[in-house]
């Protein structure tokens, strides 16, 4: 395997996960949660995600409002993020588009919900 794709994938996974935990921690701290407790809670959540990916594989390990086809929850998330943390909102949309692609692979999404999610996750 060429080294550039491997290294990019490894950096996206490892360093990207640390960046996501950092962004999520910032949101929780801004809402009044203690930083240390936030990092620990999110780290445990990430550990569960990794275990699910290893046990179930992709895309089955995907959970959350995009897999469920819940555009109202995604809309509320984006309203908050657009107002309070625009950089994180962009990150949410990029990750959300990847999640939507995986959710579509599962064949469980209602077509109307999928279209609404696509509109919500467009770049702004």
């Amino acid at each position: 395997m060429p080294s550039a794709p491997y290294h990019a994938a490894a950096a996206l996974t490892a360093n990207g996960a640390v960046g996501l935990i950092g962004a999520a921690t910032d949101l929780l701290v801004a809402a009044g949660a203690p930083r240390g407790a936030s990092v620990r809670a999110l780290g445990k959540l990430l550990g569960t995600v990794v275990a699910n990916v290893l046990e179930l594989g992709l895309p089955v390990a995907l959970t959350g409002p995009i897999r469920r086809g819940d555009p109202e929850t995604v809309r509320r998330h984006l309203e908050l993020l657009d107002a309070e943390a625009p950089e994180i909102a962009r990150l949410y949309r990029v990750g959300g588009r990847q999640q939507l692609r995986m959710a579509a692979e599962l064949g469980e999404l209602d077509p109307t919900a999928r279209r609404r999610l696509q509109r919500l996750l467009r770049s702004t």
Side-chain angles (χ1 to χ4, degrees), residues 64-86:
I66 293 175
R67 177 171 179 174
R68 289 192 310 270
D70 181 359
E72 283 307 307
T73 295
V74 172
R75 181 190 58 75
R76 286 193 308 273
H77 292 170
L78 286 169
E79 282 179 357
L80 167 79
L81 294 172
D82 285 337
E84 303 293 329

Side-chain angles (χ1 to χ4, degrees), residues 97-117:
R97 289 192 298 270
Q98 180 66 21
Q99 292 171 52
L100 188 57
R101 184 189 63 75
M102 289 191 295
E105 285 179 36
L106 292 166
E108 302 167 354
L109 276 179
D110 171 76
T112 301
R114 182 178 178 181
R115 285 189 298 275
R116 288 184 63 202
L117 287 164

Side-chain angles (χ1 to χ4, degrees), residues 29-86:
V29 168
R35 179 169 292 281
S38 297
V39 170
R40 284 189 298 280
L42 293 168
K44 287 179 184 179
L45 177 61
L46 185 59
T48 301
V49 170
V50 170
N52 286 342
V53 167
L54 292 173
E55 182 178 330
L56 304 172
L58 294 177
V60 178
L62 180 66
T63 64
I66 293 175
R67 177 171 179 174
R68 289 192 310 270
D70 181 359
E72 283 307 307
T73 295
V74 172
R75 181 190 58 75
R76 286 193 308 273
H77 292 170
L78 286 169
E79 282 179 357
L80 167 79
L81 294 172
D82 285 337
E84 303 293 329

